[in-house]
Amino acid sequence: MKYSNLPFTALFTFLIGAFFYSSATAQSSKIDSSEMVTIRIDPGAARGARVSEVFEEVNFIPLETTKESLFGSINQLEITENCYIVFDYDTKSVLIFSKEGKFKAKINRSQLKNESEKENQGFWGFSLKQENKQDFIRIASGKYTNYFDLDGKLIKKVSEDDEENLKFTDHTEIRNHYLLKNNKDSLYYQIGLRKDSIDIAQYFPYDPARYENDLFLSGGSGPALYDSDRENEKFYINYYDYNIYKLTSKKMFLAYRVFFPAIHSLPKDFSTNPIYKNKRQEYFKKNPKAIYAISNTYKIGDQLLVKMHDMDPGKEKKDAIIYNLKTAALTSLDDLEPDSSSSFLPVTDLGFHYDFANRGFLKFNKKYFYTSYSSLAMFTFKEQSVDKKPKYSALMSSYFKTENKKSNPVIIQLKLKQN
């Protein structure tokens, strides 16, 4: 099967496989739908707004450019108390910067090489792990897992290592692609809850052989968890599903059922009807406006953020919105008008349609959203806004004086207004 006609997002997010087990062959835990809220979203009805009407705080953090730190784009962003840590797919490297954007250290493939290995080992990202209240960068590569400190120093290399699962504050673990074993048989579930070695609940059973004979598309690297405005809640999105589920340490809820206009909607039986098996790519070619996934689903106060993914190549579409849960008003994040609060610089990728359009927000951390711009985009927008006489922060003033269009990307930190 060829994927050359898939858009940028789909190329990075496709998975192949048959869909779920029949409910008759697996006993998943019951999803509580007693508090479900129905939401109707017409992307075309979303309206633009000024940046200051949507965000109460906007900060730009240029990442220092040196011969060693130069990289292309931010494919992954993680944040600690004192550092920004980025993964660049093109250079296959992890770069560590201070919160002021100063370059600290770089980790590349050569540092992962073991004495018994002839070639440098590849890797496709990293995770953070905390031990004794100290943050470590964890990189799995080849047969080993490598631990680096935030100065880029290799601390240890282990041959066997279990990645620590995400936990709620009561230490309940969230297990992705969870294998539940029992006396009769073993089943895989998309997600499970486990505490003190006891299984609490498991949801969305599937056959691991599904990857061999069908097409899967998602808005990220597969079904994903996103933050709500409560510490012990996560939102969960599944394949070909417009439902937004809420996961707690006790169980899963169906929080929001989203409906789109017919032109943007998949058939109701798209995930279960065998007539679509091995024909999903053909379906999306014929129906490019059909939303195959939603992602970047966050809730802050009364604001629910949703990003939508389809095959439509048009640049005028509105695929990232804020839905006001009180008023049902729709604001298009693709159509934010820069104003003095952002020094007349765009905060998504208005006019460039690359990073935000394909990935959405890179990270949500402690009430702040993060995205990024290339320096090419930044300097282009600066030139376009000269007549507005923008006032820049000291950090950005220095950046525009000393850097150029080939410099490192700029991180954008945004704090959403809650109501």
Side-chain angles (χ1 to χ4, degrees):
M1 184 180 292
K2 295 182 179 180
Y3 298 94
S4 57
N5 293 324
L6 294 181
F8 180 91
T9 303
L11 286 172
F12 281 87
T13 60
F14 77 89
L15 289 171
I16 51 176
F19 214 67
F20 301 116
Y21 270 151
S22 165
S23 59
T25 64
Q27 297 296 318
S28 63
S29 302
K30 184 178 179 180
I31 297 174
D32 189 335
S33 60
S34 62
E35 299 177 0
M36 182 195 73
V37 175
T38 298
I39 293 176
R40 299 187 183 279
I41 295 176
D42 179 359
R47 298 290 178 260
R50 294 191 301 274
V51 169
S52 58
E53 293 177 311
V54 177
F55 296 105
E56 66 176 72
E57 191 175 333
V58 180
N59 298 300
F60 295 91
I61 304 101
L63 298 180
E64 183 181 18
T65 305
T66 66
K67 184 178 180 180
E68 185 181 5
S69 73
L70 182 65
F71 71 100
S73 62
I74 301 175
N75 296 100
Q76 179 185 350
L77 173 67
E78 299 296 337
I79 301 166
T80 69
E81 184 177 355
N82 299 309
C83 295
Y84 293 117
I85 307 169
V86 306
F87 172 66
D88 173 41
Y89 181 85
D90 293 332
T91 61
K92 296 294 190 299
S93 58
V94 172
L95 300 104
I96 306 165
F97 296 88
S98 72
K99 282 295 183 70
E100 293 73 37
K102 293 294 184 181
F103 176 62
K104 293 185 62 177
K106 179 179 180 178
I107 303 167
N108 56 35
R109 287 181 292 180
S110 64
Q111 293 165 267
L112 307 178
K113 187 176 179 179
N114 192 56
E115 292 180 359
S116 62
E117 296 169 330
K118 296 181 179 180
E119 299 180 355
N120 295 339
Q121 296 298 307
F123 67 104
W124 293 267
F126 67 96
S127 60
L128 293 180
K129 189 168 184 179
Q130 196 170 75
E131 294 182 359
N132 300 319
K133 297 183 179 181
Q134 183 177 354
D135 290 311
F136 292 96
I137 298 169
R138 177 188 180 277
I139 300 175
S141 179
K143 299 178 181 179
Y144 297 91
T145 300
N146 307 268
Y147 285 79
F148 294 85
D149 64 17
L150 298 187
D151 292 317
K153 180 181 178 182
L154 178 64
I155 302 301
K156 64 179 179 178
K157 181 189 289 280
V158 295
S159 58
E160 293 184 8
D161 179 61
D162 291 325
E163 185 170 4
E164 187 174 312
N165 292 298
L166 185 65
K167 294 180 180 180
F168 290 108
T169 54
D170 67 354
H171 303 294
T172 299
E173 294 179 88
I174 302 174
R175 299 288 189 97
N176 282 297
H177 301 289
Y178 182 44
L179 175 61
L180 180 66
K181 299 178 180 180
N182 55 43
N183 295 330
K184 295 182 180 180
D185 54 11
S186 298
L187 293 174
Y188 280 90
Y189 292 86
Q190 288 287 161
I191 199 159
L193 295 173
R194 186 174 173 84
K195 184 178 181 181
D196 300 329
S197 301
I198 298 174
D199 296 302
I200 298 173
Q202 49 280 330
Y203 303 95
F204 308 118
Y206 71 94
D207 183 348
R210 66 184 181 171
Y211 299 114
E212 299 173 3
N213 44 18
D214 203 359
L215 173 72
F216 270 63
L217 297 174
S218 74
S221 57
L225 289 163
Y226 300 98
D227 292 310
S228 76
D229 54 353
R230 296 184 179 180
E231 184 177 16
N232 285 304
E233 289 183 358
K234 299 286 183 181
F235 285 133
Y236 182 76
I237 307 294
N238 208 354
Y239 289 118
Y240 301 136
D241 191 349
Y242 301 150
N243 292 328
I244 301 174
Y245 301 93
K246 181 176 71 177
L247 187 66
T248 71
S249 62
K250 305 299 181 184
K251 61 180 178 179
M252 180 177 283
F253 299 80
L254 175 52
Y256 304 101
R257 175 160 287 167
V258 183
F259 290 92
F260 297 104
I263 193 172
H264 297 297
S265 299
L266 295 174
K268 291 182 179 179
D269 60 350
F270 190 74
S271 64
T272 56
N273 194 327
I275 68 170
Y276 298 109
K277 187 176 180 180
N278 288 320
K279 295 182 179 179
R280 301 189 198 279
Q281 186 178 10
E282 180 182 342
Y283 176 88
F284 289 123
K285 285 182 179 180
K286 292 180 179 179
N287 301 275
K289 293 183 182 294
I291 296 170
Y292 62 77
I294 58 177
S295 70
N296 274 241
T297 306
Y298 303 96
K299 178 179 176 292
I300 307 296
D302 296 323
Q303 313 279 35
L304 182 69
L305 285 76
V306 179
K307 182 161 174 47
M308 299 152 284
H309 303 263
D310 60 28
M311 297 290 184
D312 183 6
K315 291 186 176 182
E316 301 304 318
K317 62 182 181 179
K318 301 173 181 181
D319 56 9
I321 60 96
I322 301 174
Y323 179 90
N324 189 296
L325 293 165
K326 280 189 175 181
T327 67
L330 290 171
T331 301
S332 171
L333 286 169
D334 300 290
D335 298 296
L336 296 182
E337 181 182 347
D339 59 14
S340 59
S341 70
S342 65
S343 300
F344 296 99
L345 297 169
V347 297
T348 52
D349 46 7
L350 180 69
F352 264 68
H353 296 276
Y354 181 74
D355 285 333
F356 186 80
N358 285 289
R359 302 187 184 98
F361 290 111
L362 290 166
K363 187 72 178 177
F364 174 73
N365 179 270
K366 297 181 180 178
K367 296 192 181 298
Y368 285 98
F369 289 93
Y370 294 85
T371 185
S372 66
Y373 260 125
S374 66
S375 281
L376 172 60
M378 272 294 167
F379 276 87
T380 299
F381 291 129
K382 176 182 181 292
E383 293 166 2
Q384 293 174 350
S385 62
V386 169
D387 60 330
K388 296 180 180 179
K389 299 181 179 179
K391 295 181 180 179
Y392 300 113
S393 66
L395 201 59
M396 287 300 288
S397 293
S398 175
Y399 164 77
F400 283 129
K401 288 178 181 178
T402 60
E403 303 297 337
N404 57 56
K405 292 183 178 181
K406 295 182 180 180
S407 296
N408 276 342
V410 176
I411 289 175
I412 307 170
Q413 182 191 57
L414 304 162
K415 187 175 183 181
L416 189 72
K417 287 186 174 180
Q418 294 193 24
N419 299 297

